[in-house]
Amino acid sequence: MGPAIEASIRRRVRLAAAEAVLREGGVVRIHGPDHPAVDFIALDGAGTAAALAFARSSGPTIRMVLTGARARALGLDAGSAVCVALAVPSSGGTQLLETLAGMPASSRRPIGLPTLVVEPATPAEAAAIDIAKRASLLPVLMVVPGSSRQADAVVEISKDDIDTDPMDAPLVPIVQADLPISLTETARVVAFRAPDVAYEHVALVVGKLDGVSAPLVRLHSECMTGDVFGSLRCDCGPQLQAALSRMAQDGAGVLLYLRQEGRGIGLTNKLRAYRLQEMGLDTLDANTHLGFEQDERDFRTAARMLQALGLHQVRLLTNNPEKVHTLGRHGVTVTERVPLSIAANRHNLRYLQTKRQRAGHLGLPAVNDEEAG
């Protein structure tokens, strides 16, 4: 094993340990030769009371780090910043922290929110936010200067650590097996593993790809509520089945099942977004109110999976132009975009309308007053 691989493994072990500590409500320290040390704790892991007690140890004003998306949802002037810091009076108590961390907010500042100065987050703080996202926690942290006290986990970072692209990690097929399904008995499943995550992405290969220059391909992001429980709030489950049915009819195809639940924010946060949607927000605004981007998914992984399967040209089953563009930028040519339209129901009309009008999706059912009734 070479020095570069050993260094990569050590970094990934440190990050995995930090994610686990944050989820348990512990303190993580980030330091390195290029940045002063900071200790941080996640409100979502520790709970508001414990996070407030931790932050108060540094004085009457506490430093809260959150995403620019969350700050803008609160009506704060964060410009186009990806990550910002707020100086928050500790006297505000847990209610203020909870309001800042994730309660639904309009485009105006909520009643009772004090005047807050938005400051740039440091590189170390931005890296800490990334760790919270990797742990599927709300990206809201309490930060204090690094001290001599013992943190629960220590993550040493440098500029190279912060700039490392997760797509640099190898993604390789680990095992494959025949998997007859209800739509076709000629299918096999292939599991892909990357060292930087604790789960596998999966490819379901339908039929025989030999001699097929551009097979049908579907990039399907995991959706437990739709795929498993048959949720009517989205079109994920029906799209999954429709894609497999089309591949079975064609005699060949590949469905990539990508572990990017809730547009990449994780199952728990997706359910939080559901609650915000019940309060009137649409799908995209619900994600940004929680502090995430409108869509946190990364389809570069799909391109790497297809290339590992020997596929460089595909006919893509999708209504999402971003999938087409991403595959093209990363070495997989989309020779044809094949629409995948599913009938609407009264529970997902707004969801489909949002995808069409705000996310740029194509070929979706029109929404009219008769359907809404």
Side-chain angles (χ1 to χ4, degrees):
M1 184 181 299
I5 294 177
E6 291 179 354
S8 176
I9 289 173
R10 287 195 296 270
R11 175 181 176 272
R12 296 182 195 284
V13 167
R14 292 194 300 267
L15 288 174
E19 292 169 34
V21 168
L22 280 189
R23 290 176 66 90
E24 291 290 336
V27 177
V28 174
R29 178 175 304 150
I30 289 184
H31 65 90
D34 303 325
H35 312 288
V38 295
D39 291 351
F40 63 94
I41 193 169
L43 270 72
D44 198 9
T48 314
L52 182 60
F54 163 80
R56 279 176 170 162
S57 66
S58 64
T61 301
I62 56 183
R63 188 171 177 87
M64 173 182 277
V65 178
L66 65 167
T67 63
R70 178 60 192 160
R72 288 185 287 271
L74 288 162
L76 300 175
D77 184 10
S80 60
V82 174
C83 186
V84 299
L86 306 178
V88 181
S90 60
S91 57
T94 60
Q95 184 176 6
L96 174 59
L97 294 191
E98 289 170 354
T99 297
L100 294 171
M103 292 179 64
S106 67
S107 59
R108 299 181 302 275
R109 289 180 295 177
I111 295 174
L113 188 64
T115 300
L116 298 169
V117 177
V118 180
E119 303 174 358
T122 68
E125 290 169 339
I129 286 288
D130 287 342
I131 294 172
K133 284 186 176 183
R134 287 171 55 95
S136 296
L137 298 171
L138 289 178
V140 182
L141 307 172
M142 310 305 297
V143 179
V144 301
S147 66
S148 59
R149 67 184 174 191
Q150 183 65 43
D152 300 287
V154 176
V155 181
E156 298 181 9
I157 65 165
S158 66
K159 188 176 185 301
D160 290 339
D161 288 329
I162 297 170
D163 293 341
T164 296
D165 190 330
M167 292 297 109
D168 292 338
L171 180 71
V172 294
I174 299 299
V175 64
Q176 58 180 292
D178 291 341
L179 186 69
I181 60 176
S182 60
L183 292 168
T184 176
E185 295 185 3
T186 57
R188 59 189 172 94
V189 63
V190 184
F192 289 80
R193 179 182 296 157
D196 58 330
V197 293
Y199 49 79
E200 286 76 33
H201 298 289
V202 170
L204 185 68
V205 180
V206 174
K208 302 295 184 181
L209 299 179
D210 298 341
V212 181
S213 60
L216 279 173
V217 167
R218 168 71 181 165
L219 314 185
H220 189 88
S221 297
E222 179 181 29
C223 177
M224 177 182 286
T225 51
D227 301 340
V228 177
F229 299 128
S231 168
L232 298 177
R233 298 182 68 140
C234 64
D235 56 352
C236 301
Q239 281 194 328
L240 174 64
Q241 294 304 313
L244 291 175
S245 179
R246 178 69 183 271
M247 292 174 190
Q249 291 172 12
D250 270 30
V254 178
L255 185 138
L256 302 186
Y257 199 79
L258 306 171
R259 307 295 297 278
Q260 301 185 128
E261 180 79 51
R263 287 197 171 97
I265 68 175
L267 179 60
T268 298
N269 291 320
K270 182 174 86 167
L271 299 183
R272 286 171 166 151
Y274 277 1
R275 292 296 303 273
L276 291 172
Q277 291 167 39
E278 291 165 5
M279 298 175 188
L281 300 183
D282 68 22
T283 316
L284 304 184
D285 285 341
N287 279 14
T288 57
H289 273 65
L290 291 173
F292 298 96
E293 298 301 319
Q294 293 181 349
D295 194 334
E296 293 271 353
R297 292 176 295 178
D298 191 334
F299 295 113
R300 292 178 297 171
T301 297
R304 297 165 68 204
M305 293 171 69
L306 291 171
Q307 290 164 344
L309 292 171
L311 299 178
H312 300 279
Q313 294 188 102
V314 301
R315 295 158 56 221
L316 194 63
L317 277 162
T318 188
N319 303 318
N320 185 353
E322 181 57 32
K323 293 180 180 180
V324 177
H325 298 154
T326 301
L327 291 186
R329 288 194 301 267
H330 295 278
V332 178
T333 300
V334 178
T335 63
E336 180 186 4
R337 184 189 69 83
V338 181
L340 188 61
S341 187
I342 302 299
N345 66 71
R346 66 187 182 90
H347 299 283
N348 67 13
L349 284 176
R350 190 183 184 198
Y351 167 85
L352 294 174
Q353 184 181 42
T354 299
K355 289 212 293 187
R356 184 186 61 188
Q357 295 181 349
R358 298 193 59 197
H361 289 210
L362 307 170
L364 296 170
V367 177
N368 58 48
D369 293 339
E370 291 182 4
E371 287 176 319

